Amino acid sequence: MGASGVRLPAISLGLWHNFGDVDVFQNGRTIARRAFDLGITHFDLANNYGPSPGSAEENFGALMKKDFHPFRDEMIISSKAGYLMWPGPYGEWGSRKYLVASCDQSLRRMGLQYVDIFYSHRFDPDTPLEETMGALDFIVRSGRALYAGISSYDAQQTSKAAAILRDLGTPCLIHQPKYNMFDRWIENGLTDTLTKEKIGCIVFSPLAQGLLTNKYLNGIPEDSRAAKHTSLDPDSITHDKVDKVKKLNDIARARRQSLAQMAVAWTLRDKVVTSSLIGASKVAHVEEAVAALNNTTFSAAELSAIESALR
């Protein structure tokens, strides 16, 4: 990761969905256990993950107690704060009060003494960046986290945040942006900034909430995120987008991969990206993503074909 000694698995598991109190605990437990057995040692959470908010951390705490406690030193566990978590003016964004209180709450929910990485989940336009980064520095120095990270900051914000943390003596370890074939905003300056600042990168939503799979090739399945309106707007699944997905699926088949596997491998083609952060609602999703690592090399012709398909 960047200029640090931290290594992440090429595939990491995010607990945004499918691990909350509305989900079947045993299913999440089976997914997490299989992921760890396959070499996924990084589990990514945030204070508001669930639903309901906080319940993913509570369930992960139960998994730590039941299954993973003996392996704590083999794991990277991360959490974040930035989005709405509780009512009132101190329950979201980037103030020192919110970040420190939220970190303490996350540790209690997970039954941990510390997290390996704690993130500012989003840039706060109304709080001085010095305060937000100062809070991350305090969280690290107080032993609540080992490393500091940021998520969804643009290139300019990232550069300023990195400079502040560097001056404080707690360098920014990692940036977590959204990145997939349909959302390539990080290519417009952020990846260059991360390389320059020697900050690692883990990308979330490599499958565009499931759009970059074979799930929507023939309509919207009843059990899909789009049908449930959880994180994928069904109106975004246009005929034009489905046509692009079908072309990408043909390229993936020629590579002897599923579209999901190619999409994950594609996010890892840039050396600045250390890990691709997947979600999973069943064990097969984890196994499929890990199998993507069998072919992460793209020829110039394949990359050109992908660009053509996305036009």
Side-chain angles (χ1 to χ4, degrees), residues 64-99:
M64 286 299 301
K65 187 175 182 179
K66 291 174 182 291
D67 298 321
F68 293 114
H69 178 72
F71 310 105
R72 175 64 183 95
D73 293 332
E74 298 178 35
M75 304 169 72
I76 295 286
I77 301 169
S78 59
S79 192
K80 318 175 196 72
Y83 287 94
L84 181 63
M85 188 59 192
W86 63 83
Y90 317 118
E92 63 178 324
W93 293 107
S95 71
R96 181 185 179 97
K97 179 174 176 60
Y98 169 63
L99 291 178

PDB file of all heavy atoms in Angstrom, residues 64-99:
ATOM      1  N   MET A  64     -16.125 -11.980  14.824  1.00  0.00           N
ATOM      2  CA  MET A  64     -14.797 -11.945  15.451  1.00  0.00           C
ATOM      3  C   MET A  64     -14.773 -12.831  16.685  1.00  0.00           C
ATOM      4  O   MET A  64     -13.819 -13.589  16.909  1.00  0.00           O
ATOM      5  CB  MET A  64     -14.425 -10.507  15.831  1.00  0.00           C
ATOM      6  CG  MET A  64     -14.058  -9.616  14.673  1.00  0.00           C
ATOM      7  SD  MET A  64     -12.605 -10.181  13.743  1.00  0.00           S
ATOM      8  CE  MET A  64     -11.348 -10.197  15.018  1.00  0.00           C
ATOM      9  N   LYS A  65     -15.833 -12.757  17.487  1.00  0.00           N
ATOM     10  CA  LYS A  65     -15.885 -13.530  18.724  1.00  0.00           C
ATOM     11  C   LYS A  65     -16.031 -15.022  18.446  1.00  0.00           C
ATOM     12  O   LYS A  65     -15.367 -15.849  19.077  1.00  0.00           O
ATOM     13  CB  LYS A  65     -17.049 -13.029  19.588  1.00  0.00           C
ATOM     14  CG  LYS A  65     -17.108 -13.649  20.973  1.00  0.00           C
ATOM     15  CD  LYS A  65     -18.211 -13.005  21.801  1.00  0.00           C
ATOM     16  CE  LYS A  65     -18.247 -13.587  23.201  1.00  0.00           C
ATOM     17  NZ  LYS A  65     -19.313 -12.959  24.034  1.00  0.00           N
ATOM     18  N   LYS A  66     -16.884 -15.361  17.472  1.00  0.00           N
ATOM     19  CA  LYS A  66     -17.174 -16.761  17.187  1.00  0.00           C
ATOM     20  C   LYS A  66     -16.063 -17.447  16.391  1.00  0.00           C
ATOM     21  O   LYS A  66     -15.743 -18.613  16.613  1.00  0.00           O
ATOM     22  CB  LYS A  66     -18.486 -16.878  16.403  1.00  0.00           C
ATOM     23  CG  LYS A  66     -19.743 -16.534  17.167  1.00  0.00           C
ATOM     24  CD  LYS A  66     -20.956 -16.553  16.240  1.00  0.00           C
ATOM     25  CE  LYS A  66     -22.236 -16.177  16.954  1.00  0.00           C
ATOM     26  NZ  LYS A  66     -22.679 -17.198  17.917  1.00  0.00           N
ATOM     27  N   ASP A  67     -15.486 -16.710  15.412  1.00  0.00           N
ATOM     28  CA  ASP A  67     -14.638 -17.361  14.417  1.00  0.00           C
ATOM     29  C   ASP A  67     -13.229 -16.788  14.269  1.00  0.00           C
ATOM     30  O   ASP A  67     -12.271 -17.537  14.103  1.00  0.00           O
ATOM     31  CB  ASP A  67     -15.299 -17.290  13.032  1.00  0.00           C
ATOM     32  CG  ASP A  67     -16.635 -18.007  12.986  1.00  0.00           C
ATOM     33  OD1 ASP A  67     -16.747 -19.074  13.606  1.00  0.00           O
ATOM     34  OD2 ASP A  67     -17.573 -17.495  12.335  1.00  0.00           O
ATOM     35  N   PHE A  68     -13.112 -15.475  14.285  1.00  0.00           N
ATOM     36  CA  PHE A  68     -11.880 -14.853  13.819  1.00  0.00           C
ATOM     37  C   PHE A  68     -10.957 -14.336  14.918  1.00  0.00           C
ATOM     38  O   PHE A  68      -9.851 -13.869  14.609  1.00  0.00           O
ATOM     39  CB  PHE A  68     -12.207 -13.692  12.861  1.00  0.00           C
ATOM     40  CG  PHE A  68     -12.837 -14.141  11.571  1.00  0.00           C
ATOM     41  CD1 PHE A  68     -14.141 -13.790  11.269  1.00  0.00           C
ATOM     42  CD2 PHE A  68     -12.127 -14.911  10.664  1.00  0.00           C
ATOM     43  CE1 PHE A  68     -14.736 -14.202  10.085  1.00  0.00           C
ATOM     44  CE2 PHE A  68     -12.707 -15.331   9.479  1.00  0.00           C
ATOM     45  CZ  PHE A  68     -14.013 -14.981   9.185  1.00  0.00           C
ATOM     46  N   HIS A  69     -11.379 -14.413  16.153  1.00  0.00           N
ATOM     47  CA  HIS A  69     -10.547 -13.868  17.228  1.00  0.00           C
ATOM     48  C   HIS A  69      -9.120 -14.423  17.218  1.00  0.00           C
ATOM     49  O   HIS A  69      -8.161 -13.655  17.366  1.00  0.00           O
ATOM     50  CB  HIS A  69     -11.198 -14.109  18.590  1.00  0.00           C
ATOM     51  CG  HIS A  69     -10.385 -13.621  19.744  1.00  0.00           C
ATOM     52  ND1 HIS A  69     -10.221 -12.271  20.029  1.00  0.00           N
ATOM     53  CD2 HIS A  69      -9.655 -14.296  20.667  1.00  0.00           C
ATOM     54  CE1 HIS A  69      -9.436 -12.146  21.078  1.00  0.00           C
ATOM     55  NE2 HIS A  69      -9.079 -13.344  21.492  1.00  0.00           N
ATOM     56  N   PRO A  70      -8.911 -15.729  17.003  1.00  0.00           N
ATOM     57  CA  PRO A  70      -7.529 -16.248  17.006  1.00  0.00           C
ATOM     58  C   PRO A  70      -6.686 -15.723  15.848  1.00  0.00           C
ATOM     59  O   PRO A  70      -5.460 -15.832  15.882  1.00  0.00           O
ATOM     60  CB  PRO A  70      -7.728 -17.769  16.877  1.00  0.00           C
ATOM     61  CG  PRO A  70      -9.131 -18.030  17.287  1.00  0.00           C
ATOM     62  CD  PRO A  70      -9.894 -16.816  16.855  1.00  0.00           C
ATOM     63  N   PHE A  71      -7.349 -15.156  14.830  1.00  0.00           N
ATOM     64  CA  PHE A  71      -6.639 -14.734  13.628  1.00  0.00           C
ATOM     65  C   PHE A  71      -6.556 -13.223  13.491  1.00  0.00           C
ATOM     66  O   PHE A  71      -6.247 -12.703  12.416  1.00  0.00           O
ATOM     67  CB  PHE A  71      -7.335 -15.322  12.389  1.00  0.00           C
ATOM     68  CG  PHE A  71      -7.588 -16.800  12.484  1.00  0.00           C
ATOM     69  CD1 PHE A  71      -8.869 -17.284  12.733  1.00  0.00           C
ATOM     70  CD2 PHE A  71      -6.544 -17.703  12.362  1.00  0.00           C
ATOM     71  CE1 PHE A  71      -9.106 -18.646  12.834  1.00  0.00           C
ATOM     72  CE2 PHE A  71      -6.771 -19.070  12.465  1.00  0.00           C
ATOM     73  CZ  PHE A  71      -8.057 -19.542  12.701  1.00  0.00           C
ATOM     74  N   ARG A  72      -6.820 -12.490  14.582  1.00  0.00           N
ATOM     75  CA  ARG A  72      -6.882 -11.029  14.496  1.00  0.00           C
ATOM     76  C   ARG A  72      -5.619 -10.431  13.896  1.00  0.00           C
ATOM     77  O   ARG A  72      -5.691  -9.477  13.100  1.00  0.00           O
ATOM     78  CB  ARG A  72      -7.112 -10.427  15.898  1.00  0.00           C
ATOM     79  CG  ARG A  72      -7.064  -8.886  15.950  1.00  0.00           C
ATOM     80  CD  ARG A  72      -8.187  -8.285  15.142  1.00  0.00           C
ATOM     81  NE  ARG A  72      -8.153  -6.827  15.082  1.00  0.00           N
ATOM     82  CZ  ARG A  72      -7.596  -6.126  14.104  1.00  0.00           C
ATOM     83  NH1 ARG A  72      -6.974  -6.744  13.109  1.00  0.00           N
ATOM     84  NH2 ARG A  72      -7.649  -4.809  14.105  1.00  0.00           N
ATOM     85  N   ASP A  73      -4.462 -10.975  14.214  1.00  0.00           N
ATOM     86  CA  ASP A  73      -3.219 -10.393  13.720  1.00  0.00           C
ATOM     87  C   ASP A  73      -2.897 -10.797  12.286  1.00  0.00           C
ATOM     88  O   ASP A  73      -1.898 -10.350  11.720  1.00  0.00           O
ATOM     89  CB  ASP A  73      -2.060 -10.772  14.649  1.00  0.00           C
ATOM     90  CG  ASP A  73      -2.200 -10.125  16.017  1.00  0.00           C
ATOM     91  OD1 ASP A  73      -2.819  -9.043  16.093  1.00  0.00           O
ATOM     92  OD2 ASP A  73      -1.700 -10.694  17.001  1.00  0.00           O
ATOM     93  N   GLU A  74      -3.749 -11.623  11.697  1.00  0.00           N
ATOM     94  CA  GLU A  74      -3.629 -11.950  10.278  1.00  0.00           C
ATOM     95  C   GLU A  74      -4.574 -11.114   9.423  1.00  0.00           C
ATOM     96  O   GLU A  74      -4.617 -11.275   8.206  1.00  0.00           O
ATOM     97  CB  GLU A  74      -3.948 -13.441  10.049  1.00  0.00           C
ATOM     98  CG  GLU A  74      -3.000 -14.391  10.761  1.00  0.00           C
ATOM     99  CD  GLU A  74      -3.398 -15.843  10.543  1.00  0.00           C
ATOM    100  OE1 GLU A  74      -3.886 -16.166   9.449  1.00  0.00           O
ATOM    101  OE2 GLU A  74      -3.218 -16.651  11.472  1.00  0.00           O
ATOM    102  N   MET A  75      -5.330 -10.227  10.067  1.00  0.00           N
ATOM    103  CA  MET A  75      -6.407  -9.515   9.384  1.00  0.00           C
ATOM    104  C   MET A  75      -6.172  -8.009   9.349  1.00  0.00           C
ATOM    105  O   MET A  75      -5.541  -7.445  10.246  1.00  0.00           O
ATOM    106  CB  MET A  75      -7.745  -9.786  10.097  1.00  0.00           C
ATOM    107  CG  MET A  75      -8.098 -11.253  10.218  1.00  0.00           C
ATOM    108  SD  MET A  75      -9.503 -11.546  11.314  1.00  0.00           S
ATOM    109  CE  MET A  75     -10.843 -10.922  10.297  1.00  0.00           C
ATOM    110  N   ILE A  76      -6.682  -7.398   8.285  1.00  0.00           N
ATOM    111  CA  ILE A  76      -6.799  -5.949   8.210  1.00  0.00           C
ATOM    112  C   ILE A  76      -8.283  -5.626   8.301  1.00  0.00           C
ATOM    113  O   ILE A  76      -9.080  -6.063   7.457  1.00  0.00           O
ATOM    114  CB  ILE A  76      -6.226  -5.383   6.889  1.00  0.00           C
ATOM    115  CG1 ILE A  76      -4.720  -5.612   6.807  1.00  0.00           C
ATOM    116  CG2 ILE A  76      -6.559  -3.899   6.747  1.00  0.00           C
ATOM    117  CD1 ILE A  76      -3.897  -4.713   7.707  1.00  0.00           C
ATOM    118  N   ILE A  77      -8.666  -4.881   9.330  1.00  0.00           N
ATOM    119  CA  ILE A  77     -10.058  -4.498   9.541  1.00  0.00           C
ATOM    120  C   ILE A  77     -10.143  -2.974   9.482  1.00  0.00           C
ATOM    121  O   ILE A  77      -9.383  -2.276  10.160  1.00  0.00           O
ATOM    122  CB  ILE A  77     -10.576  -5.003  10.895  1.00  0.00           C
ATOM    123  CG1 ILE A  77     -10.466  -6.531  10.967  1.00  0.00           C
ATOM    124  CG2 ILE A  77     -12.019  -4.555  11.123  1.00  0.00           C
ATOM    125  CD1 ILE A  77     -10.697  -7.100  12.349  1.00  0.00           C
ATOM    126  N   SER A  78     -11.037  -2.481   8.650  1.00  0.00           N
ATOM    127  CA  SER A  78     -11.155  -1.028   8.493  1.00  0.00           C
ATOM    128  C   SER A  78     -12.576  -0.573   8.776  1.00  0.00           C
ATOM    129  O   SER A  78     -13.536  -1.336   8.611  1.00  0.00           O
ATOM    130  CB  SER A  78     -10.755  -0.609   7.074  1.00  0.00           C
ATOM    131  OG  SER A  78     -11.574  -1.231   6.102  1.00  0.00           O
ATOM    132  N   SER A  79     -12.693   0.677   9.200  1.00  0.00           N
ATOM    133  CA  SER A  79     -14.003   1.301   9.337  1.00  0.00           C
ATOM    134  C   SER A  79     -13.894   2.768   8.942  1.00  0.00           C
ATOM    135  O   SER A  79     -12.791   3.288   8.716  1.00  0.00           O
ATOM    136  CB  SER A  79     -14.566   1.154  10.752  1.00  0.00           C
ATOM    137  OG  SER A  79     -15.939   1.512  10.769  1.00  0.00           O
ATOM    138  N   LYS A  80     -15.044   3.428   8.869  1.00  0.00           N
ATOM    139  CA  LYS A  80     -15.094   4.797   8.354  1.00  0.00           C
ATOM    140  C   LYS A  80     -16.179   5.579   9.079  1.00  0.00           C
ATOM    141  O   LYS A  80     -17.084   4.994   9.689  1.00  0.00           O
ATOM    142  CB  LYS A  80     -15.423   4.825   6.855  1.00  0.00           C
ATOM    143  CG  LYS A  80     -14.733   3.793   5.999  1.00  0.00           C
ATOM    144  CD  LYS A  80     -15.233   3.853   4.560  1.00  0.00           C
ATOM    145  CE  LYS A  80     -14.861   2.609   3.793  1.00  0.00           C
ATOM    146  NZ  LYS A  80     -15.666   1.435   4.223  1.00  0.00           N
ATOM    147  N   ALA A  81     -16.100   6.890   8.951  1.00  0.00           N
ATOM    148  CA  ALA A  81     -17.171   7.762   9.426  1.00  0.00           C
ATOM    149  C   ALA A  81     -17.230   8.987   8.526  1.00  0.00           C
ATOM    150  O   ALA A  81     -16.203   9.505   8.103  1.00  0.00           O
ATOM    151  CB  ALA A  81     -16.935   8.178  10.881  1.00  0.00           C
ATOM    152  N   GLY A  82     -18.428   9.434   8.248  1.00  0.00           N
ATOM    153  CA  GLY A  82     -18.604  10.604   7.398  1.00  0.00           C
ATOM    154  C   GLY A  82     -20.051  10.821   7.006  1.00  0.00           C
ATOM    155  O   GLY A  82     -20.515  11.944   6.851  1.00  0.00           O
ATOM    156  N   TYR A  83     -20.790   9.737   6.867  1.00  0.00           N
ATOM    157  CA  TYR A  83     -22.201   9.836   6.500  1.00  0.00           C
ATOM    158  C   TYR A  83     -23.086   9.831   7.751  1.00  0.00           C
ATOM    159  O   TYR A  83     -22.632   9.529   8.854  1.00  0.00           O
ATOM    160  CB  TYR A  83     -22.577   8.695   5.552  1.00  0.00           C
ATOM    161  CG  TYR A  83     -22.010   8.888   4.170  1.00  0.00           C
ATOM    162  CD1 TYR A  83     -20.791   8.311   3.815  1.00  0.00           C
ATOM    163  CD2 TYR A  83     -22.669   9.666   3.224  1.00  0.00           C
ATOM    164  CE1 TYR A  83     -20.249   8.503   2.544  1.00  0.00           C
ATOM    165  CE2 TYR A  83     -22.139   9.862   1.952  1.00  0.00           C
ATOM    166  CZ  TYR A  83     -20.929   9.280   1.622  1.00  0.00           C
ATOM    167  OH  TYR A  83     -20.390   9.482   0.373  1.00  0.00           O
ATOM    168  N   LEU A  84     -24.356  10.156   7.566  1.00  0.00           N
ATOM    169  CA  LEU A  84     -25.284  10.299   8.688  1.00  0.00           C
ATOM    170  C   LEU A  84     -25.365   9.021   9.506  1.00  0.00           C
ATOM    171  O   LEU A  84     -25.634   7.948   8.976  1.00  0.00           O
ATOM    172  CB  LEU A  84     -26.677  10.668   8.167  1.00  0.00           C
ATOM    173  CG  LEU A  84     -27.751  10.872   9.236  1.00  0.00           C
ATOM    174  CD1 LEU A  84     -27.398  12.052  10.146  1.00  0.00           C
ATOM    175  CD2 LEU A  84     -29.112  11.080   8.585  1.00  0.00           C
ATOM    176  N   MET A  85     -25.152   9.170  10.805  1.00  0.00           N
ATOM    177  CA  MET A  85     -25.179   8.016  11.701  1.00  0.00           C
ATOM    178  C   MET A  85     -26.154   8.210  12.855  1.00  0.00           C
ATOM    179  O   MET A  85     -26.794   7.275  13.296  1.00  0.00           O
ATOM    180  CB  MET A  85     -23.768   7.741  12.226  1.00  0.00           C
ATOM    181  CG  MET A  85     -23.625   6.455  13.002  1.00  0.00           C
ATOM    182  SD  MET A  85     -24.098   5.016  12.003  1.00  0.00           S
ATOM    183  CE  MET A  85     -24.159   3.754  13.278  1.00  0.00           C
ATOM    184  N   TRP A  86     -26.258   9.429  13.382  1.00  0.00           N
ATOM    185  CA  TRP A  86     -27.233   9.689  14.436  1.00  0.00           C
ATOM    186  C   TRP A  86     -27.739  11.121  14.299  1.00  0.00           C
ATOM    187  O   TRP A  86     -27.105  11.958  13.650  1.00  0.00           O
ATOM    188  CB  TRP A  86     -26.634   9.425  15.822  1.00  0.00           C
ATOM    189  CG  TRP A  86     -25.477  10.287  16.234  1.00  0.00           C
ATOM    190  CD1 TRP A  86     -25.530  11.540  16.772  1.00  0.00           C
ATOM    191  CD2 TRP A  86     -24.083   9.954  16.165  1.00  0.00           C
ATOM    192  NE1 TRP A  86     -24.269  12.005  17.042  1.00  0.00           N
ATOM    193  CE2 TRP A  86     -23.362  11.051  16.676  1.00  0.00           C
ATOM    194  CE3 TRP A  86     -23.373   8.818  15.727  1.00  0.00           C
ATOM    195  CZ2 TRP A  86     -21.972  11.060  16.758  1.00  0.00           C
ATOM    196  CZ3 TRP A  86     -21.993   8.824  15.801  1.00  0.00           C
ATOM    197  CH2 TRP A  86     -21.309   9.933  16.320  1.00  0.00           C
ATOM    198  N   PRO A  87     -28.906  11.424  14.907  1.00  0.00           N
ATOM    199  CA  PRO A  87     -29.526  12.741  14.732  1.00  0.00           C
ATOM    200  C   PRO A  87     -28.689  13.865  15.339  1.00  0.00           C
ATOM    201  O   PRO A  87     -27.846  13.646  16.206  1.00  0.00           O
ATOM    202  CB  PRO A  87     -30.866  12.604  15.467  1.00  0.00           C
ATOM    203  CG  PRO A  87     -31.097  11.143  15.615  1.00  0.00           C
ATOM    204  CD  PRO A  87     -29.735  10.516  15.707  1.00  0.00           C
ATOM    205  N   GLY A  88     -28.950  15.074  14.857  1.00  0.00           N
ATOM    206  CA  GLY A  88     -28.282  16.244  15.409  1.00  0.00           C
ATOM    207  C   GLY A  88     -27.084  16.667  14.592  1.00  0.00           C
ATOM    208  O   GLY A  88     -26.685  15.993  13.640  1.00  0.00           O
ATOM    209  N   PRO A  89     -26.468  17.770  14.966  1.00  0.00           N
ATOM    210  CA  PRO A  89     -25.379  18.350  14.169  1.00  0.00           C
ATOM    211  C   PRO A  89     -24.047  17.622  14.291  1.00  0.00           C
ATOM    212  O   PRO A  89     -23.112  17.938  13.566  1.00  0.00           O
ATOM    213  CB  PRO A  89     -25.263  19.769  14.724  1.00  0.00           C
ATOM    214  CG  PRO A  89     -25.737  19.655  16.142  1.00  0.00           C
ATOM    215  CD  PRO A  89     -26.821  18.630  16.120  1.00  0.00           C
ATOM    216  N   TYR A  90     -23.947  16.650  15.176  1.00  0.00           N
ATOM    217  CA  TYR A  90     -22.656  15.993  15.406  1.00  0.00           C
ATOM    218  C   TYR A  90     -22.638  14.547  14.913  1.00  0.00           C
ATOM    219  O   TYR A  90     -21.739  13.782  15.267  1.00  0.00           O
ATOM    220  CB  TYR A  90     -22.304  16.026  16.895  1.00  0.00           C
ATOM    221  CG  TYR A  90     -22.586  17.350  17.549  1.00  0.00           C
ATOM    222  CD1 TYR A  90     -23.501  17.457  18.589  1.00  0.00           C
ATOM    223  CD2 TYR A  90     -21.959  18.522  17.085  1.00  0.00           C
ATOM    224  CE1 TYR A  90     -23.786  18.684  19.169  1.00  0.00           C
ATOM    225  CE2 TYR A  90     -22.249  19.747  17.656  1.00  0.00           C
ATOM    226  CZ  TYR A  90     -23.170  19.833  18.694  1.00  0.00           C
ATOM    227  OH  TYR A  90     -23.453  21.045  19.247  1.00  0.00           O
ATOM    228  N   GLY A  91     -23.653  14.167  14.095  1.00  0.00           N
ATOM    229  CA  GLY A  91     -23.792  12.777  13.698  1.00  0.00           C
ATOM    230  C   GLY A  91     -23.380  12.463  12.280  1.00  0.00           C
ATOM    231  O   GLY A  91     -23.675  11.366  11.785  1.00  0.00           O
ATOM    232  N   GLU A  92     -22.683  13.389  11.614  1.00  0.00           N
ATOM    233  CA  GLU A  92     -22.183  13.111  10.269  1.00  0.00           C
ATOM    234  C   GLU A  92     -21.097  14.116   9.899  1.00  0.00           C
ATOM    235  O   GLU A  92     -20.746  14.989  10.668  1.00  0.00           O
ATOM    236  CB  GLU A  92     -23.316  13.153   9.231  1.00  0.00           C
ATOM    237  CG  GLU A  92     -23.989  14.507   9.073  1.00  0.00           C
ATOM    238  CD  GLU A  92     -25.058  14.497   7.990  1.00  0.00           C
ATOM    239  OE1 GLU A  92     -24.872  13.799   6.966  1.00  0.00           O
ATOM    240  OE2 GLU A  92     -26.079  15.196   8.164  1.00  0.00           O
ATOM    241  N   TRP A  93     -20.550  13.974   8.718  1.00  0.00           N
ATOM    242  CA  TRP A  93     -19.520  14.820   8.123  1.00  0.00           C
ATOM    243  C   TRP A  93     -18.138  14.606   8.741  1.00  0.00           C
ATOM    244  O   TRP A  93     -17.744  13.476   8.954  1.00  0.00           O
ATOM    245  CB  TRP A  93     -19.943  16.288   8.114  1.00  0.00           C
ATOM    246  CG  TRP A  93     -21.104  16.532   7.203  1.00  0.00           C
ATOM    247  CD1 TRP A  93     -22.401  16.803   7.564  1.00  0.00           C
ATOM    248  CD2 TRP A  93     -21.106  16.498   5.775  1.00  0.00           C
ATOM    249  NE1 TRP A  93     -23.208  16.929   6.447  1.00  0.00           N
ATOM    250  CE2 TRP A  93     -22.426  16.750   5.325  1.00  0.00           C
ATOM    251  CE3 TRP A  93     -20.124  16.263   4.804  1.00  0.00           C
ATOM    252  CZ2 TRP A  93     -22.782  16.787   3.981  1.00  0.00           C
ATOM    253  CZ3 TRP A  93     -20.470  16.302   3.460  1.00  0.00           C
ATOM    254  CH2 TRP A  93     -21.785  16.561   3.066  1.00  0.00           C
ATOM    255  N   GLY A  94     -17.395  15.693   9.040  1.00  0.00           N
ATOM    256  CA  GLY A  94     -15.977  15.503   9.319  1.00  0.00           C
ATOM    257  C   GLY A  94     -15.423  16.233  10.523  1.00  0.00           C
ATOM    258  O   GLY A  94     -14.210  16.471  10.594  1.00  0.00           O
ATOM    259  N   SER A  95     -16.265  16.587  11.485  1.00  0.00           N
ATOM    260  CA  SER A  95     -15.747  17.262  12.672  1.00  0.00           C
ATOM    261  C   SER A  95     -14.970  16.299  13.547  1.00  0.00           C
ATOM    262  O   SER A  95     -15.174  15.075  13.505  1.00  0.00           O
ATOM    263  CB  SER A  95     -16.889  17.881  13.491  1.00  0.00           C
ATOM    264  OG  SER A  95     -17.663  16.854  14.115  1.00  0.00           O
ATOM    265  N   ARG A  96     -14.085  16.842  14.351  1.00  0.00           N
ATOM    266  CA  ARG A  96     -13.326  16.014  15.304  1.00  0.00           C
ATOM    267  C   ARG A  96     -14.275  15.293  16.253  1.00  0.00           C
ATOM    268  O   ARG A  96     -14.091  14.101  16.546  1.00  0.00           O
ATOM    269  CB  ARG A  96     -12.363  16.916  16.088  1.00  0.00           C
ATOM    270  CG  ARG A  96     -11.491  16.180  17.109  1.00  0.00           C
ATOM    271  CD  ARG A  96     -10.668  17.198  17.907  1.00  0.00           C
ATOM    272  NE  ARG A  96      -9.831  16.566  18.904  1.00  0.00           N
ATOM    273  CZ  ARG A  96      -8.535  16.266  18.733  1.00  0.00           C
ATOM    274  NH1 ARG A  96      -7.953  16.518  17.571  1.00  0.00           N
ATOM    275  NH2 ARG A  96      -7.840  15.709  19.695  1.00  0.00           N
ATOM    276  N   LYS A  97     -15.306  15.997  16.713  1.00  0.00           N
ATOM    277  CA  LYS A  97     -16.257  15.397  17.652  1.00  0.00           C
ATOM    278  C   LYS A  97     -16.921  14.165  17.049  1.00  0.00           C
ATOM    279  O   LYS A  97     -17.011  13.114  17.698  1.00  0.00           O
ATOM    280  CB  LYS A  97     -17.322  16.421  18.056  1.00  0.00           C
ATOM    281  CG  LYS A  97     -18.363  15.868  19.023  1.00  0.00           C
ATOM    282  CD  LYS A  97     -19.299  16.939  19.516  1.00  0.00           C
ATOM    283  CE  LYS A  97     -20.393  16.368  20.413  1.00  0.00           C
ATOM    284  NZ  LYS A  97     -19.869  15.699  21.617  1.00  0.00           N
ATOM    285  N   TYR A  98     -17.367  14.295  15.803  1.00  0.00           N
ATOM    286  CA  TYR A  98     -18.059  13.170  15.168  1.00  0.00           C
ATOM    287  C   TYR A  98     -17.118  12.013  14.881  1.00  0.00           C
ATOM    288  O   TYR A  98     -17.432  10.855  15.160  1.00  0.00           O
ATOM    289  CB  TYR A  98     -18.714  13.642  13.870  1.00  0.00           C
ATOM    290  CG  TYR A  98     -19.227  12.519  12.987  1.00  0.00           C
ATOM    291  CD1 TYR A  98     -20.238  11.659  13.426  1.00  0.00           C
ATOM    292  CD2 TYR A  98     -18.696  12.307  11.722  1.00  0.00           C
ATOM    293  CE1 TYR A  98     -20.710  10.632  12.617  1.00  0.00           C
ATOM    294  CE2 TYR A  98     -19.166  11.282  10.904  1.00  0.00           C
ATOM    295  CZ  TYR A  98     -20.163  10.444  11.357  1.00  0.00           C
ATOM    296  OH  TYR A  98     -20.626   9.427  10.560  1.00  0.00           O
ATOM    297  N   LEU A  99     -15.948  12.297  14.317  1.00  0.00           N
ATOM    298  CA  LEU A  99     -15.042  11.215  13.917  1.00  0.00           C
ATOM    299  C   LEU A  99     -14.551  10.416  15.124  1.00  0.00           C
ATOM    300  O   LEU A  99     -14.529   9.184  15.094  1.00  0.00           O
ATOM    301  CB  LEU A  99     -13.860  11.772  13.137  1.00  0.00           C
ATOM    302  CG  LEU A  99     -14.168  12.336  11.745  1.00  0.00           C
ATOM    303  CD1 LEU A  99     -12.906  12.889  11.097  1.00  0.00           C
ATOM    304  CD2 LEU A  99     -14.779  11.264  10.846  1.00  0.00           C
TER     305      LEU A  99
END
